[in-house]
Amino acid sequence: MRKALGATLALIGLIILGLSLLAGAIVFRSGATLGDTTFWMLAGCGLFTFLGGWLNKFGRQLKQEPGELFLARHDGPIVTYLRSFGADSKADTVKGIRPKVVSFLPESLLSEEEQVALAFNEIAPMVAIGRPGEMLPQLGAYRVYTDDDSWQDMVHAMLDRSSLVVMRAGETEGFWWELANVSERVPPERVIYLLPAKEREYEAFRTRFAESAGIDLPDFEPALFAGSFSSVLWFTPDGAPHIARPKFSFTGTLRHPVAAALREMLSEPMASLGVAQAQPATAKQRALATAADFGFFIATMLVGFALAALTEWQGFLWLTLVGAAVVALLEVTPLRASPGKLMTGLVVKDASGIEARGMQIVGRSSIKIITVATQVWYASLALVILGKRSLHDLATGAEVYFQPSRKR
C-alpha cells in the first residue's frame, strides 16, 4: 500500500512539475502581451514547480524499500556506503557537474547520492546505515536503521558481504572508526573514496589519512565542477594510491551527469577488479544484431506464407506485421533490446552508459522507423560502419552498449 501510494504521488509530482515548467515557458514567451500579470504568473509557475519537485521526491521516498527488508530478500553481494551523517545534506541536493558558472541550472531530478548509487549499480546495490530519527529514508542507498549500541556490529556485517566499499571522506570520529575497520576487513583495491571538493575539507582528510594509513595523497586541485566531491581515490592490489578526476565532456545527454562522470572515473578501478563495464558496441556487433533482427523478421514472414499455403489462412500479412512490431518495439520494454540485440548481448542505454529512460527509447524507436521508411536509414548505417552513433542515437542521446551478461 505504501509503495503504491508513493509511486502515485511521485507520478503526480512529475506531471505537476512538467506542466508548471511548460506553463512558465509559455508565460515567459508571452510576457509582452500579459503585461503586469507576467510576474505573478511566473511566480505561480515557480511555486507549482517547487510543489511538483517536492511531491515527486516525497513519493519516491515513500515507496523506497526499507534496507532491512532488502537485505533479507537479497542474498547477493552489496556495495557498502559509509559516510558522516553530516554529509547527507550535501548529497541530498540535486546537483550536476557543469562548470560552476551555470551550476544553478537543474540537470537531473535525482539527488547526488541517487546518482552515486546509480553509478555503482553495475556492481551491486548500495546499502548504508540510516541517520537516526529520519522520518523517511534519504534517496540513494538502501537505508538500514540501528541504535547506538549495535551500529558497529551492523557495519561489520555489511562489510563482510560487500563486493565494494564506498567511503565519502569525512571528519567525524565515527567515520575514522569505519575507515580503520574497513582497512582490517576489506582489501584496499575494493575501497573507493569520494574526495571533498573544498580545499579545507580535502586537506583535513589528507592529513588525517596520512596519520591513519601512512599514505601521502597529492596536493589539492580545484574542481571544475559543482558536485560536493571532486574526485575518487582508489588503490591497486599492491596498495598504490590513484586519484581519478572527472572530465568535462559532452556525451550527447545531460541526464544524470554526476553518475555519468563517476562511471567514467571508475573505469580503471573497476577494470582492476575484473568488473567489466558495458562498452559501446562495435560496428561488427551492431551488424550481427541487425542481421539477427532481419532473420527474425524473415522467419515470421516465412511462417505466415507457409500457414497460408497449407491452411489457406489469409492472416499471414498480420503475422509479418507482428514480427516487424516485435523487432521495432521490444526495445521500448524494460529489456531495452530487440531480439537480435538480446542474442548478441547488446542493450540500448543512455549515451553515458546509464540506464535509458522509457520516453528516450520511444523517441529513438520512432526516429528509427521514420529513417527506415524514408530511406534515410542508409545514412545511419554509414555512421555505424564508421564506428559512430546512428542518427536515432544522436537525436535522442542514446547509445548501443555491449553487455556480456545479457548475451543469450
Side-chain angles (χ1 to χ4, degrees):
M1 179 66 181
R2 172 172 165 166
K3 187 174 182 180
L5 176 61
T8 302
L9 292 178
L11 178 60
I12 292 173
L14 193 61
I15 293 172
I16 293 174
L17 179 64
L19 291 176
S20 59
L21 288 174
L22 177 62
I26 294 173
V27 170
F28 184 78
R29 291 291 300 271
S30 307
T33 58
L34 293 174
D36 295 338
T37 62
T38 301
F39 171 80
W40 296 108
M41 293 183 72
L42 286 175
C45 291
L47 179 62
F48 276 99
T49 299
F50 172 80
L51 175 64
W54 177 85
L55 194 59
N56 176 264
K57 180 181 178 181
F58 176 75
R60 289 188 290 123
Q61 286 180 294
L62 200 60
K63 74 174 184 177
Q64 181 162 305
E65 182 180 17
E68 294 81 1
L69 293 180
F70 170 75
L71 289 178
R73 70 170 178 81
H74 177 75
D75 56 1
I78 62 173
V79 171
T80 295
Y81 175 53
L82 301 174
R83 81 288 178 212
S84 303
F85 288 137
D88 282 355
S89 58
K90 299 176 183 178
D92 196 37
T93 56
V94 178
K95 274 189 175 181
I97 57 165
R98 281 198 290 241
K100 294 181 179 180
V101 292
V102 292
S103 62
F104 62 89
L105 297 173
E107 294 181 77
S108 172
L109 284 178
L110 300 190
S111 67
E112 185 174 273
E113 186 181 317
E114 287 180 278
Q115 294 189 54
V116 169
L118 186 62
F120 285 102
N121 269 352
E122 286 183 303
I123 304 168
M126 182 179 283
V127 183
I129 301 290
R131 177 197 288 268
E134 278 183 332
M135 297 298 293
L136 287 172
Q138 181 164 315
L139 294 170
Y142 289 99
R143 289 310 200 260
V144 178
Y145 295 93
T146 183
D147 54 40
D148 290 340
D149 296 328
S150 57
W151 73 272
Q152 293 177 334
D153 292 334
M154 178 58 71
V155 169
H156 287 158
M158 291 166 59
L159 292 179
D160 289 343
R161 61 182 296 187
S162 296
S163 59
L164 192 73
V165 177
V166 178
M167 302 195 73
R168 181 184 285 267
E171 301 178 1
T172 64
E173 291 305 314
F175 170 82
W176 290 105
W177 177 89
E178 290 172 338
L179 189 147
N181 279 263
V182 167
S183 300
E184 293 176 359
R185 290 173 174 263
V186 183
E189 67 271 18
R190 293 193 175 274
V191 185
I192 299 289
Y193 298 88
L194 306 182
L195 299 181
K198 294 183 178 179
E199 183 173 7
R200 184 196 65 80
E201 295 176 359
Y202 177 85
E203 291 300 334
F205 173 79
R206 179 190 179 198
T207 301
R208 184 74 181 266
F209 190 79
E211 296 172 356
S212 175
I215 298 174
D216 291 324
L217 300 180
D219 292 337
F220 175 79
E221 289 190 20
L224 176 64
F225 309 107
S228 68
F229 65 92
S230 61
S231 53
V232 299
L233 169 66
W234 60 282
F235 293 85
T236 51
D238 61 1
H242 299 269
I243 290 182
R245 294 180 174 85
K247 300 174 183 177
F248 184 62
S249 57
F250 182 69
T251 60
T253 176
L254 292 178
R255 180 173 177 254
H256 308 333
V258 173
L262 183 53
R263 185 180 184 276
E264 180 185 53
M265 287 189 281
L266 292 171
S267 59
E268 281 193 71
M270 293 304 99
S272 70
L273 289 174
V275 178
Q277 289 184 325
Q279 298 296 323
T282 63
K284 180 180 178 180
Q285 289 169 329
R286 295 194 67 168
L288 288 173
T290 301
D293 282 333
F294 186 71
F296 176 84
F297 170 71
I298 294 297
T300 58
M301 185 172 64
L302 292 177
V303 169
F305 281 133
L307 288 174
L310 295 174
T311 65
E312 298 184 356
W313 178 60
Q314 298 302 309
F316 66 89
L317 179 60
W318 289 107
L319 188 59
T320 302
L321 291 176
V322 167
V326 169
V327 171
L329 301 179
L330 200 61
E331 289 179 0
V332 181
T333 71
L335 291 173
R336 298 290 190 258
S338 63
K341 288 185 176 66
L342 280 175
M343 293 171 60
T344 53
L346 304 188
V347 60
V348 181
K349 293 193 172 191
D350 188 278
S352 54
I354 306 300
E355 182 181 351
R357 294 166 292 182
M359 289 307 298
Q360 187 177 21
I361 300 299
V362 169
R364 179 183 183 277
S365 297
S366 301
I367 294 173
K368 184 197 292 187
I369 292 172
I370 293 172
T371 58
V372 170
T374 58
Q375 305 301 309
V376 180
W377 181 76
Y378 293 108
S380 283
L381 179 61
L383 288 174
V384 171
I385 292 174
L386 293 172
K388 308 295 183 181
R389 290 158 63 196
S390 63
L391 292 175
H392 43 275
D393 286 330
L394 287 169
T396 56
E399 177 66 283
V400 178
Y401 277 76
F402 176 61
Q403 192 164 298
S405 61
R406 290 286 298 272
K407 193 170 182 178
R408 294 295 184 264

